[in-house]
């Protein structure tokens, strides 16, 4: 609804609807401030959750397969450099064929991942009930992570927002580029994302981890827990998971670089020079992310991504009547 098209490029997302939507409500100055604040946080989110976390976890999975003490384990920056160059070829060099191959392979890898997850669950069908029971008892137990129910809520919100970005404001940047006559129709499409990401994929992953018991291994972190869970049932699956994680990381980094460029352009101008500076920094953070510890990477990413929701949620509440109007206009069109 509020996107801008300039020289054939689409600029959308919270930066636009905070600025234009609030101006329509007579709150232009507030909208401008919130739009700038969101853009700043989005840049941080693109360097963190959309970049460093992806490189870090992909590298950890590959190290896990190659074994501790391997060359890559002592030189993680090498993996980061490789990924950084690959990402740079797409976002700077414009080699779209790499992105096209990734776009084709990612759904295929996701399908294999889900089939493997369902196989593990099917082979342990009798434990599904106890697995869900453990999830609920853990959520409400006084000893739960972070200190009982409040701790679980905080940890759960952090991981939930990270997994599907619902309400964060990043996805609207991508959806704004869609070719559609009605804004609400794209909004309805967007509703599928949290369901597929969190309800389907993440729940399957959680059940596999709990059923196999790898969640209790305190020595494992991040993607290592998932890899060990699948490996305990399907010995060769960590190799497939390594390929999948690297592809998922690569595609996610390309997507988030687009979000970051949009936010960067909002703050520093829509010039090729400004875009190039951002893209070079983005590739540098790929190398940094693969070399840092998982804890520090996730702490930074969680802070940036969760903070993005503050100006976006304010926008959603204030512009809710606009959403209702767009939805009713779309429904009326479909009935005619």
């Amino acid at each position: 609804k509020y996107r801008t098209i300039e020289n054939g490029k689409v600029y959308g997302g919270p930066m636009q609807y905070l600025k234009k939507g609030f101006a329509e409500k007579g709150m232009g100055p507030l909208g401008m401030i919130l739009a700038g604040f969101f853009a700043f946080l989005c840049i941080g989110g693109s360097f963190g959750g959309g970049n460093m976390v992806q490189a870090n976890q992909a590298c950890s999975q590959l190290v896990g397969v190659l074994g501790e003490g391997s060359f890559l384990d002592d030189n993680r920056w090498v993996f980061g450099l490789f990924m950084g160059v690959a990402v740079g070829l797409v976002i700077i060099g414009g080699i779209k064929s790499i992105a096209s191959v990734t776009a084709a392979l990612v759904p295929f890898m996701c399908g294999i991942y889900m089939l493997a997850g369902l196989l593990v669950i099917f082979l342990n069908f009798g434990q599904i009930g106890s697995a869900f029971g453990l999830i609920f008892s853990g959520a409400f137990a006084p000893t739960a992570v972070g200190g009982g129910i409040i701790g679980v809520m905080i940890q759960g919100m952090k991981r939930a927002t990270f997994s599907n970005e619902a309400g964060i404001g990043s996805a609207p940047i991508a959806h704004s580029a869609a070719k559609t006559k009605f804004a609400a129709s794209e909004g309805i499409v967007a509703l599928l994302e949290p369901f597929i990401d969190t309800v389907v994929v993440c729940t399957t992953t959680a059940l596999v981890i709990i059923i196999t018991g790898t969640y209790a291994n305190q020595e494992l972190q991040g993607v290592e827990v998932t890899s060990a869970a699948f490996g305990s049932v399907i010995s060769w699956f960590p190799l497939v998971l390594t390929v999948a994680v690297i592809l998922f990381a690569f595609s996610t980094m390309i997507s988030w670089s687009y979000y970051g460029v949009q936010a960067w352009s909002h703050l520093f101008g829509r010039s090729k020079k400004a875009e190039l500076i951002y893209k070079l920094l983005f590739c540098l953070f790929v190398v940094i992310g693969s070399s840092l510890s998982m804890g520090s990477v996730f702490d930074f990413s969680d802070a940036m991504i969760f903070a993005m929701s503050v100006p976006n949620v304010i926008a959603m509440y204030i512009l809710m009547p606009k959403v209702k109007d767009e939805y009713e206009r779309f429904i009326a069109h479909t009935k005619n």
Side-chain angles (χ1 to χ4, degrees):
K1 180 175 175 60
Y2 292 107
R3 65 185 175 187
T4 299
I5 301 176
E6 185 178 300
N7 297 323
K9 287 188 176 182
V10 178
Y11 298 91
M15 291 83 70
Q16 298 303 314
Y17 56 74
L18 277 164
K19 183 173 65 174
K20 296 180 182 179
F22 276 46
E24 291 180 356
K25 294 277 188 178
M27 296 184 288
L30 176 61
M32 290 289 288
I33 293 171
L34 290 176
F37 181 52
F38 177 88
F40 170 76
L41 295 171
C42 185
I43 293 169
S46 71
F47 289 151
N51 183 329
M52 291 197 295
V53 167
Q54 309 305 321
N56 182 275
Q57 291 299 279
C59 185
S60 295
Q61 176 60 22
L62 186 56
V63 168
V65 170
L66 295 177
E68 292 185 7
S70 62
F71 171 80
L72 188 63
D73 190 20
D74 297 326
N75 300 276
R76 294 190 172 215
W77 64 269
V78 174
F79 176 83
L81 183 62
F82 173 80
M83 288 292 284
V85 170
V87 171
L89 287 173
V90 175
I91 67 173
I92 299 175
I95 302 179
K96 302 301 181 184
S97 57
I98 300 176
S100 299
V101 171
T102 305
L105 286 175
V106 165
F108 175 71
M109 297 306 301
C110 186
I112 292 177
Y113 181 87
M114 286 302 299
L115 286 174
L118 293 173
L119 176 63
V120 173
I121 294 171
F122 178 77
L123 293 175
N124 299 274
F125 190 79
Q127 299 182 45
I128 295 177
S130 59
F132 275 112
L134 188 60
I135 290 172
F136 283 103
S137 63
F140 297 102
T143 56
V145 64
I149 296 175
I150 302 299
V152 171
M153 286 176 63
I154 294 172
Q155 188 68 9
M157 286 290 287
K158 284 163 64 177
R159 295 282 67 82
T161 53
F162 191 91
S163 72
N164 61 45
E165 301 170 28
I168 300 302
S170 54
I173 299 174
H175 286 289
S176 65
K179 294 181 179 179
T180 179
K181 185 178 179 181
F182 294 93
S185 66
E186 190 65 19
I188 292 170
V189 171
L191 290 172
L192 285 171
E193 294 169 5
F195 174 77
I196 295 171
D197 263 346
T198 303
V199 178
V200 178
V201 178
C202 289
T203 301
T204 301
T205 304
L207 288 174
V208 169
I209 290 171
I210 293 171
I211 286 172
T212 56
T214 55
Y215 71 93
N217 189 339
Q218 300 298 318
E219 296 180 0
L220 300 175
Q221 288 186 317
V223 72
E224 296 172 353
V225 182
T226 306
S227 183
F230 279 103
S232 65
V233 180
I234 309 171
S235 60
W236 48 266
F237 195 75
L239 293 171
V240 177
L241 185 62
T242 301
V243 177
V245 168
I246 292 173
L247 287 173
F248 292 154
F250 183 71
S251 61
T252 301
M253 284 189 276
I254 293 173
S255 300
W256 267 94
S257 71
Y258 177 71
Y259 302 159
V261 162
Q262 294 259 336
W264 188 273
S265 299
H266 180 80
L267 292 179
F268 302 106
R270 298 170 183 175
S271 67
K272 290 185 178 180
K273 183 179 179 181
E275 284 191 13
L276 180 60
I277 292 172
Y278 169 81
K279 290 173 181 178
L280 289 171
L281 285 172
F282 189 86
C283 292
L284 176 63
F285 272 89
V286 177
V287 182
I288 295 172
S290 64
S291 305
L292 294 177
S293 66
M294 189 191 80
S296 58
V297 171
F298 266 98
D299 288 343
F300 173 75
S301 302
D302 284 337
M304 290 293 102
I305 290 178
F306 192 75
M308 286 168 61
S309 68
V310 176
N312 191 56
V313 168
I314 293 172
M316 286 194 291
Y317 274 103
I318 292 178
L319 298 177
M320 199 179 295
K322 296 286 184 181
V323 176
K324 183 180 178 182
D325 292 342
E326 288 294 318
Y327 176 72
E328 289 176 349
R329 190 164 72 91
F330 173 66
I331 294 300
H333 172 77
T334 59
K335 291 180 179 179
N336 293 333

